[in-house]
Amino acid sequence: MAAKPFITCHVLDTVSGKPAADIAVKLELVYPANATATDWTAKTNDDGRVLAWTSNTDVNKLVASVKSKLDDDDQMIWKLTFDTGAYFGKDKTFWPEVELRFAARKAEEHYHVPLLLGPWSYTTYRGSLADIQVPIELFGVPIGKTIGTPAGLD
């Protein structure tokens, strides 16, 4: 089984409440700019996820090479571009493309970037913090349990 890519993503259609399948996605390393001219492509699967990238360069090998040259406090800048116009259809969305740029720290092993998508709005957040346990609170009152990402679901 191939190793999980350094970056994965997930798209949920907020109108249908279901995963957004068959969205074309492009991944690019923006900084350091001279590290590669390669980009990676994929389509979201039936669960709205990108779990593997297509390219002539292995993303994990490139990440390892770039990390070896970064200072400890330096970071990589990545860009994900989602072809949302093709997903919703011409003139059926305000966002023909959604471009997300984010910073990835040298010490991190994996980044998961969910996109919550509607035809007139979108939001995103840093997902896949499986190693961080967060106390659950309801209206500021602790309810005594912690959450993390169950194995295989990040």
Side-chain angles (χ1 to χ4, degrees), residues 1-152:
M1 179 180 204
K4 180 190 310 185
F6 180 66
I7 296 169
T8 56
C9 61
H10 190 189
V11 184
L12 296 172
D13 183 324
T14 59
V15 174
S16 70
K18 296 180 181 179
D22 293 322
I23 293 182
V25 185
K26 182 166 74 169
L27 172 66
E28 298 172 78
L29 178 62
V30 176
Y31 177 84
N34 61 349
T36 186
T38 299
D39 57 27
W40 296 265
T41 59
K43 282 204 169 210
T44 55
N45 64 17
D46 289 344
D47 196 30
R49 296 176 183 272
V50 169
L51 302 174
W53 298 99
T54 301
S55 178
N56 60 357
T57 302
D58 181 280
V59 69
N60 289 349
K61 287 181 182 176
L62 178 77
V63 167
S65 173
V66 170
K67 281 182 172 185
S68 73
K69 298 170 188 157
L70 289 177
D71 293 331
D72 287 342
D73 62 343
D74 209 356
Q75 55 191 6
M76 296 169 279
I77 306 296
W78 291 89
K79 177 171 68 170
L80 283 166
T81 305
F82 299 84
D83 185 3
T84 53
Y87 175 74
F88 285 113
K90 186 176 180 182
D91 297 327
K92 294 182 180 176
T93 180
F94 187 64
W95 310 104
E97 275 187 345
V98 170
E99 180 181 292
L100 305 177
R101 289 182 181 233
F102 59 97
R105 295 182 323 188
K106 179 178 179 177
E108 296 289 338
E109 296 294 320
H110 177 246
Y111 280 81
H112 184 69
V113 183
L115 174 64
L116 306 178
L117 179 65
W120 315 115
S121 65
Y122 69 88
T123 191
T124 188
Y125 57 95
R126 164 75 195 272
S128 194
L129 295 173
D131 54 332
I132 297 175
Q133 296 295 307
V134 180
I136 299 174
E137 294 182 355
L138 183 60
F139 302 108
V141 178
I143 58 175
K145 296 188 178 193
T146 60
I147 59 171
T149 305

